[in-house]
Amino acid sequence: MRKLPFLLLILTALASLPSMAICVLDTKPPYGGSPPVTMTIAPFTIRIDADAPADRSLMISEQKSTMGALVSYECVPGDIYGKETQAPLGPTTQDKMFATDIPGIEIRPIFSTGRATGRFPSTSKVSTGRVNFPATSSYSIEVYKTQKRLNLSNPAGDVVIGSGIIAYTWINTISPDTYSFRLQIGEIRIISTPVCRLDGEKSVDFNIVSATNVGNGVKRPLDFSLVCITDYGNYTASASLSTQTPTSDNAYIQVVDSAGNSDRLKIRVDDSNGNPLPVDASRAEVKSNIATDTPAKFTWNATLLRASGSALPENGKFNARAEIVLQVN
């Protein structure tokens, strides 16, 4: 019998504990606003050069969301609110950045009220009886390259991050269900462009030639190479030949002698396999699967020939010009 009053006291004490206050969404005039809002960023593709530096202070892309609307809550001072991220955005790395599906590409989401901006995540306490998320609010995402070399596989665009809701502002508890604003993004892709360097302009000096030399053909080497860095592991380089002064069959480059004649001499160019190259860029020599930062070498030859059976060029200097057209994939 002595235990009953003790139990009664416990029940009374439990019943007298105050309930915890939480912020309540207010959609009624004159102070209320709209229901929670989803802001969006459309799908986009980032384009970057393979030699772009890895730099956490240098954005490679920035995208801004659609605008919000006023979202208002009636609160009690001390209630909490804040910002959080979620998948498909990856885990945090450093400097308030987050990993993506491409190692070396990171995203920093930003929330703005129109007057102030903040990074993710964060938690704050309510200091008045109301919290307003203004209509001027929006999100943005900053994209950074944080690794010297990327490991890409799709020249049409590798997926950096899939579509989905990646960030939200919450109130009362950290949960996507308690959002006031949230950010829905479309799929983000990236395309890297190889960066190449050529070993300089090439000229072929035939030195002094005679009628006999020209009759037999005077051959000189025309070697060149280029080196490309790529985020796709290897690259393919093709080289073709083009001139503004072709012979009628597009097989030779016309040569102009010291008197301005262009029908006395011609030049044939052979590729690394000894096959004549047309001079209208209609056929190319292709070097495939060259490792990044490794030279693609071309060992061509240029042969000076007579263009007619009887007429000889005038004594003096002669010249011809053509362009090597390079393409890299």
Side-chain angles (χ1 to χ4, degrees), residues 103-150:
I105 297 296
E106 298 179 12
I107 288 176
R108 177 188 285 148
I110 303 288
F111 177 72
S112 171
T113 63
R115 293 185 177 181
T117 60
R119 299 176 180 178
F120 289 72
S122 71
T123 300
S124 302
K125 286 189 176 182
V126 176
S127 59
T128 64
R130 183 174 292 272
V131 171
N132 286 328
F133 295 91
T136 52
S137 299
S138 64
Y139 289 92
S140 62
I141 53 175
E142 302 171 349
V143 187
Y144 295 84
K145 180 182 178 183
T146 60
Q147 186 172 293
K148 180 179 180 181
R149 191 68 61 240
L150 306 178

Side-chain angles (χ1 to χ4, degrees), residues 48-52 54 100-106 144-160 189-193 229-234 292:
I48 188 172
D49 289 337
D51 65 347
T100 67
D101 294 340
I102 304 294
I105 297 296
E106 298 179 12
Y144 295 84
K145 180 182 178 183
T146 60
Q147 186 172 293
K148 180 179 180 181
R149 191 68 61 240
L150 306 178
N151 184 17
L152 305 180
S153 60
N154 184 1
D158 288 74
V159 176
V160 174
R189 290 179 172 263
I190 188 167
I191 295 174
S192 175
T193 301
I229 56 174
T230 175
D231 287 316
Y232 297 96
N234 53 57
T292 183

Side-chain angles (χ1 to χ4, degrees), residues 28 76 115 117 159 250 267 273 307:
K28 298 178 181 179
V76 173
R115 293 185 177 181
T117 60
V159 176
N250 284 319
I267 293 174
N273 299 311

Side-chain angles (χ1 to χ4, degrees), residues 106-107 139 153 176 179 214 223 227 229 235 295 303-304 323:
E106 298 179 12
I107 288 176
Y139 289 92
S153 60
Y179 78 93
V214 174
D223 299 339
V227 178
I229 56 174
Y235 66 96
T303 302
L304 180 67
E323 292 182 349

